[in-house]
């Protein structure tokens, strides 16, 4: 096997860490770059990953997806690393906040970091990818939430209303509830459009797929401002709910499935699909995620919002 580099955003914890560990453990020919916003957490994870995978080729990269400046700096930092060619990108970093937050660029944080951040990061990094690469976006079954969890249906209208929701900063109940589902829907729309543009506009044979890890209670995904009792009870409640809606996952198990999409031969030609946990056969997304016009519109409007320049990526931005 040729030496290859795989970047994993948010690889310092949870699903991203498990994915990194699984890929690194497969062969020392894999170099792993964990792209993280917190240097100390990244260095700690790097140390543990080297020990647990017995692979010394683990690097860190500074990346805050909540800042387009940080994302562009991260690209420049990546160019200084002396590592094998870039082969894979796992867009894993994510959160689901209760409070309303905004990115450095003034975008609503969930849409801003999870969709716009990964959109910009992957577009920049495409310039560094050779032939036969693989990109996976971690989405969620929450792109199409069951009514028991969220009474609203996520539907893409335009990027502006997601980037700057609400009136005078006041979000409606619907806008609040749909922040995370919409970001995860946008991840799938982005997968579809990126896959189509790569096929149409390049001969690189880079695949792009989406992944659902299921509801994982062994990661740090818990709302940050939960109190101690809520923190203890929430995983049990979430676990029960996940069983009811048949979406139980775990970081340890889903980390294997996610890693396989990057490493295993059977996925080498598969693109524009949505995989569920450790299942090798792709599943259907929501109808809203299959809307090609929405995907095209999201692409063009996202490029405008992050000010993506034609010479920053290998794909068209119009
Ligand atoms: N847990 C679930 O039940 C579940 C279900 C479906 C989908 N997912 C998705 O799975 C992915 C991984 O989540 P997880 O459960 O493993 O949660 P996690 O343990 O909290 O990991 C999330 C990672 O994302 C990083 N991150 C957050 N904001 C970032 C930013 N602005 N820039 C760069 N990195 C950032 C975190 O960094 P810090 O350590 O610095 O915070 C952390 O490394 C997410 O995309 C999530 O939406 C999770």
């Amino acid at each position: 096997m040729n030496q290859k580099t795989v970047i994993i955003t948010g690889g310092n914890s949870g699903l991203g860490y498990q994915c990194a560990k699984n890929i690194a453990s497969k062969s020392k020919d894999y170099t792993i770059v964990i792209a993280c916003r917190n240097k100390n957490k990244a260095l700690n994870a790097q140390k543990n990953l080297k020990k647990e995978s017995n692979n010394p080729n683990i690097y860190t990269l500074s990346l805050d997806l909540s800042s387009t400046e940080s994302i562009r700096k991260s690209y420049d930092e990546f160019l200084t690393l002396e590592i094998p060619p870039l082969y894979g990108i796992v867009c894993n970093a994510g959160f689901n906040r209760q409070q309303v937050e905004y990115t450095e660029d003034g975008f609503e944080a969930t849409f801003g970091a999870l969709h716009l951040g990964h959109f910009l990061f992957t577009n920049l990094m495409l310039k560094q990818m050779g032939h036969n690469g693989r990109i996976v976006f971690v989405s969620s079954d929450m792109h199409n939430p069951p009514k028991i969890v969220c009474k609203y249906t996520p539907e893409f209208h335009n990027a502006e209303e997601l980037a700057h929701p609400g009136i005078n900063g006041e979000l409606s109940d619907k806008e609040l509830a749909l922040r995370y589902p919409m970001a995860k829907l946008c991840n799938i729309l982005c997968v579809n459009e990126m896959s189509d543009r790569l096929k149409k506009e390049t001969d690189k044979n880079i695949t792009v797929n989406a992944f659902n890890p299921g509801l994982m209670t062994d990661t740090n995904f818990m709302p940050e401002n939960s109190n101690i009792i809520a923190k203890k009870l929430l995983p049990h409640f979430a676990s029960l709910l996940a069983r009811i809606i048949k979406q139980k996952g775990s970081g340890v198990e889903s980390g294997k499935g996610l890693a396989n999409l990057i490493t295993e031969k059977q996925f080498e030609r598969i693109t524009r699909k949505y995989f569920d946990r450790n299942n090798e056969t792709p599943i259907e997304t929501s109808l809203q995620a299959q809307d090609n016009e929405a995907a095209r519109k999201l692409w063009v409007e996202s490029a405008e919002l992050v000010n993506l320049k034609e010479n920053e990526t290998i794909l068209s931005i119009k």
Side-chain angles (χ1 to χ4, degrees):
M1 191 183 94
N2 297 332
Q3 297 208 324
K4 297 168 173 182
T5 293
V6 179
I7 303 176
I8 299 160
T9 69
N12 60 284
S13 83
L15 178 69
Y17 182 89
Q18 293 300 328
C19 174
K21 188 174 89 177
N22 278 289
I23 298 175
S25 302
K26 292 198 189 210
S27 161
K28 289 194 178 74
D29 281 342
Y30 283 112
T31 289
I32 302 292
V33 176
I34 50 170
C36 312
R37 60 180 169 169
N38 181 308
K39 196 73 195 166
N40 285 338
K41 285 187 187 177
L43 292 174
N44 197 29
Q46 179 190 34
K47 195 174 80 197
N48 292 335
L49 276 172
K50 284 184 183 183
K51 207 162 50 184
E52 290 196 62
S53 67
N54 200 23
N55 182 337
N57 308 318
I58 314 285
Y59 291 75
T60 67
L61 182 68
S62 300
L63 173 70
D64 183 353
L65 289 159
S66 301
S67 156
T68 53
E69 188 187 350
S70 165
I71 295 166
R72 287 186 166 91
K73 275 194 189 150
S74 186
Y75 177 75
D76 293 339
E77 186 188 333
F78 181 79
L79 300 184
T80 68
L81 299 177
E82 290 177 12
I83 51 177
L86 179 58
Y87 170 73
I89 307 175
V90 180
C91 296
N92 159 76
F95 52 80
N96 185 8
R97 302 251 161 81
Q98 286 175 353
Q99 67 276 27
V100 180
E101 289 176 9
Y102 295 91
T103 69
E104 217 176 85
D105 305 276
F107 306 132
E108 187 284 307
T110 327
F111 176 72
L114 277 56
H115 165 66
L116 287 178
H118 279 128
F119 168 83
L120 177 59
F121 186 69
T122 43
N123 264 290
L124 301 180
M125 286 295 169
L126 275 173
K127 280 184 104 169
Q128 298 307 314
M129 283 182 94
H131 284 77
N132 305 320
R134 302 188 195 184
I135 301 175
V136 182
F137 282 73
V138 176
S139 178
S140 170
D141 45 277
M142 283 295 285
H143 83 275
N144 185 24
K147 286 284 171 269
I148 184 175
V149 178
C150 175
K151 62 180 174 184
Y152 306 106
T153 303
E155 269 173 22
F156 178 79
H157 304 295
N158 64 73
E160 177 57 26
E161 72 178 21
L162 299 175
H164 303 115
I167 300 169
N168 299 329
E170 280 291 310
L171 274 64
S172 65
D173 285 352
K174 183 175 176 184
E175 285 168 325
L176 278 171
L178 283 180
R179 284 171 302 160
Y180 183 73
M182 279 305 308
K184 291 294 168 184
L185 171 64
C186 289
N187 285 149
I188 303 179
L189 292 171
C190 184
V191 161
N192 294 347
E193 189 66 15
M194 189 177 282
S195 176
D196 289 351
R197 286 185 190 233
L198 277 163
K199 256 195 197 164
K200 233 184 285 167
E201 299 171 13
T202 79
D203 63 354
K204 286 200 164 194
N205 187 32
I206 295 172
T207 63
V208 195
N209 289 298
F211 180 73
N212 170 39
L215 208 154
M216 305 174 288
T217 49
D218 57 346
T219 68
N220 293 334
F221 203 65
M222 233 25 79
E224 280 159 5
N225 55 357
S226 309
N227 63 34
I228 296 258
I229 298 170
K231 271 199 167 131
K232 284 224 180 300
L233 289 179
L234 216 51
H236 298 295
F237 174 70
S239 186
L240 181 67
L241 182 65
R243 279 181 205 282
I244 293 170
I245 61 175
K246 299 199 169 42
Q247 273 303 332
K248 180 102 178 78
S250 84
V252 172
E253 284 310 308
S254 294
K256 293 177 193 162
L258 182 55
N260 287 344
L261 293 181
I262 293 289
T263 59
E264 296 312 294
K265 194 159 173 51
Q266 69 263 35
F267 301 113
E268 76 183 341
R269 301 253 164 231
I270 299 179
T271 192
R272 212 187 193 279
K273 298 287 183 209
Y274 175 54
F275 289 91
D276 181 38
R277 292 167 284 180
N278 287 356
N279 298 316
E280 291 184 3
T281 310
I283 57 166
E284 286 284 298
T285 61
S286 68
L287 284 178
Q288 286 77 13
Q290 296 168 30
D291 182 342
N292 292 338
E293 179 47 28
R296 193 203 62 77
K297 195 168 183 314
L298 174 67
W299 184 272
V300 173
E301 293 177 358
S302 299
E304 280 168 16
L305 283 167
V306 300
N307 200 14
L308 182 64
K309 306 273 189 323
E310 266 171 21
N311 63 1
E312 284 185 310
T313 184
I314 60 170
L315 298 176
S316 61
I317 56 175
K318 293 270 184 269

